Amino acid sequence: MKGLLVKDCKLLFQQKRMILLLLVCVAIVLGSVEDPSFIIAYAAILMLMMALGTISYDEFDNGYSFLFTLPISRKEYVAGKYILCSVYCLFTGVVAAIACAVVMVVRQKSAVSVDMVQSAICIIAVSFMILALLLPIMLKYGPEKSRIFTFAIVGVVVVFGIILGKLQEYLSIDISKVDNFLKKIGDTGFTIATVFVAVLAVMVSFVISVRIMEKKEF
């Protein structure tokens, strides 16, 4: 597995221009926006997509046929992808969060608040949920077809949200219970719940990805 991680890291290091562009965008946003916290999600998800892009290199020109002649199992291959994506996503999210915190502290002349930390943790956790969703799709359908499925899933979620909102208005559903529940658990409870869901999603996603790879024929 170590060899796979080294291979993927070298592939990612070749995308220096994209990483440089990311740094430039982050610098511009940090210097021009009052609340730059959204840059945490932007940076983490962009690096996640770059890490997922290594699957394209593995599939190119029957690459899987060569990879699995090496002394690695399909489960180890999948584990390597999850480790790579998780590390890049987490590292980028943390660095972006620290940068945002420094900028906001300098501007507002105040210490880092608990809310800022909890918000950053939730954003990074959501990026892990996106990882849990996308990686099995890419392994199953490949990079090209997975884009179609991803757009389809996003479309379904958006349409479902719109329909749910309309139903809530039409049926006069009282959502105060949800608000009361969120107030009871508080921001800390919500953060813990988000992290728990993200970890659970990644674990389930890993099991699904392993089964997908074990059934694949090259």
Side-chain angles (χ1 to χ4, degrees):
M1 186 189 298
K2 181 180 177 182
L4 291 175
L5 292 174
V6 171
K7 170 188 70 68
D8 288 337
C9 287
K10 288 186 176 181
L11 288 173
L12 287 172
F13 288 152
Q14 290 178 0
Q15 303 182 36
K16 295 177 183 178
R17 292 181 180 178
M18 183 63 72
I19 296 174
L20 180 61
L21 179 61
L22 170 62
L23 293 175
V24 171
C25 291
V26 169
I28 293 173
V29 172
L30 289 175
S32 59
V33 179
E34 289 295 327
D35 184 8
S37 57
F38 79 92
I39 201 65
I40 303 172
Y42 172 78
I45 293 174
L46 183 58
M47 285 302 296
L48 170 61
M49 298 307 295
M50 290 175 63
L52 287 172
T54 57
I55 297 175
S56 302
Y57 292 100
D58 293 341
E59 287 192 342
F60 181 72
D61 200 16
N62 296 319
Y64 278 138
S65 300
F66 170 74
L67 277 176
F68 291 114
T69 60
L70 302 174
I72 57 168
S73 66
R74 301 192 180 199
K75 185 176 182 179
E76 288 175 331
Y77 173 81
V78 173
K81 291 300 178 186
Y82 275 90
I83 292 172
L84 176 77
C85 293
S86 298
V87 170
Y88 269 80
C89 189
L90 180 61
F91 176 76
T92 308
V94 170
V95 170
I98 293 172
C100 289
V102 170
V103 170
M104 295 179 72
V105 166
V106 170
R107 286 179 180 173
Q108 300 175 6
K109 305 295 183 181
S110 60
V112 177
S113 65
V114 176
D115 290 340
M116 290 171 61
V117 175
Q118 291 176 340
S119 176
I121 292 173
C122 287
I123 292 172
I124 295 173
V126 170
S127 67
F128 272 81
M129 294 180 195
I130 296 173
L131 162 64
L133 174 66
L134 292 183
L135 212 159
I137 294 175
M138 292 195 72
L139 291 175
K140 175 70 174 179
Y141 299 105
E144 297 300 327
K145 291 183 179 179
S146 63
R147 293 191 184 97
I148 300 174
F149 279 91
T150 302
F151 283 121
I153 290 171
V154 172
V156 169
V157 171
V158 171
V159 172
F160 178 76
I162 294 172
I163 293 174
L164 192 63
K166 295 295 182 181
L167 283 175
Q168 185 265 326
E169 293 177 3
Y170 179 75
L171 299 175
S172 300
I173 299 174
D174 185 14
I175 60 172
S176 60
K177 293 182 179 180
V178 178
D179 292 333
N180 292 333
F181 174 74
L182 292 176
K183 288 178 181 178
K184 281 183 180 180
I185 64 174
D187 293 337
T188 302
F190 180 77
T191 302
I192 294 172
T194 304
V195 172
F196 175 78
V197 171
V199 172
L200 183 63
V202 171
M203 292 173 63
V204 172
S205 175
F206 174 75
V207 173
I208 294 173
S209 296
V210 170
R211 290 182 178 177
I212 288 172
M213 286 303 295
E214 288 178 345
K215 291 181 180 179
K216 261 195 168 185
E217 296 181 0
F218 307 112

